[in-house]
Amino acid sequence: MGWAKYSEDNTELTNERLYYLKNKKTVNTQNKNAALGTTQGGKLMSKNATESEGCRDIYLICRSCGKRFLFSAHAQRVYRRNGWCAPKRCKPCKEFAKAARLMRHSK
């Protein structure tokens, strides 16, 4: 994970990471339940029921830079419909990783 240029930003990033680590277990449980389409009781719901239930915009922490990024309700429905896991990186980090991967393979 990267660090910011100024110490004030580093403290903010550190606080966000600590908050994330404290609440990691609940976030992971919520993401797994959303991906599996289960309710809090653990009963499996039909695909139509999971798509019709309301999703809310949530903020996730980027695995690469540690910043928060928005995972919109619409994107959640698309990810769920396609059976994908929630994103781990923000869009700029994804683009950077893709460019680096292309540069490595072009040699």
Side-chain angles (χ1 to χ4, degrees):
M1 292 188 185
W3 288 98
K5 184 176 181 180
Y6 301 104
S7 63
E8 298 84 21
D9 296 334
N10 285 335
T11 1
E12 184 178 333
L13 286 173
T14 305
N15 290 337
E16 284 182 7
R17 289 177 184 156
L18 289 173
Y19 176 79
Y20 172 72
L21 289 174
K22 287 178 187 174
N23 298 316
K24 185 176 181 180
K25 188 171 186 175
T26 57
V27 170
N28 285 340
T29 306
Q30 290 170 352
N31 288 343
K32 285 179 186 174
N33 287 343
L36 294 173
T38 57
T39 62
Q40 288 182 347
K43 296 179 182 177
L44 190 60
M45 297 170 57
S46 69
K47 190 168 187 172
N48 292 336
T50 57
E51 286 190 20
S52 64
E53 81 180 27
C55 292
R56 289 185 282 160
D57 293 348
I58 58 172
Y59 285 94
L60 301 175
I61 306 289
C62 177
R63 174 188 264 178
S64 297
C65 65
K67 292 184 181 178
R68 291 179 355 153
F69 65 96
L70 180 67
F71 187 37
S72 68
H74 175 71
Q76 290 175 45
R77 285 190 292 272
V78 170
Y79 273 65
R80 187 181 304 142
R81 189 178 321 121
N82 291 321
W84 299 334
C85 296
K88 303 267 190 274
R89 293 181 175 86
C90 61
K91 189 170 183 174
C93 289
K94 279 187 209 174
E95 291 171 355
F96 179 77
K98 183 177 181 180
R101 192 170 49 250
L102 290 173
M103 291 298 289
R104 257 186 274 133
H105 293 295
S106 68
K107 291 182 180 181

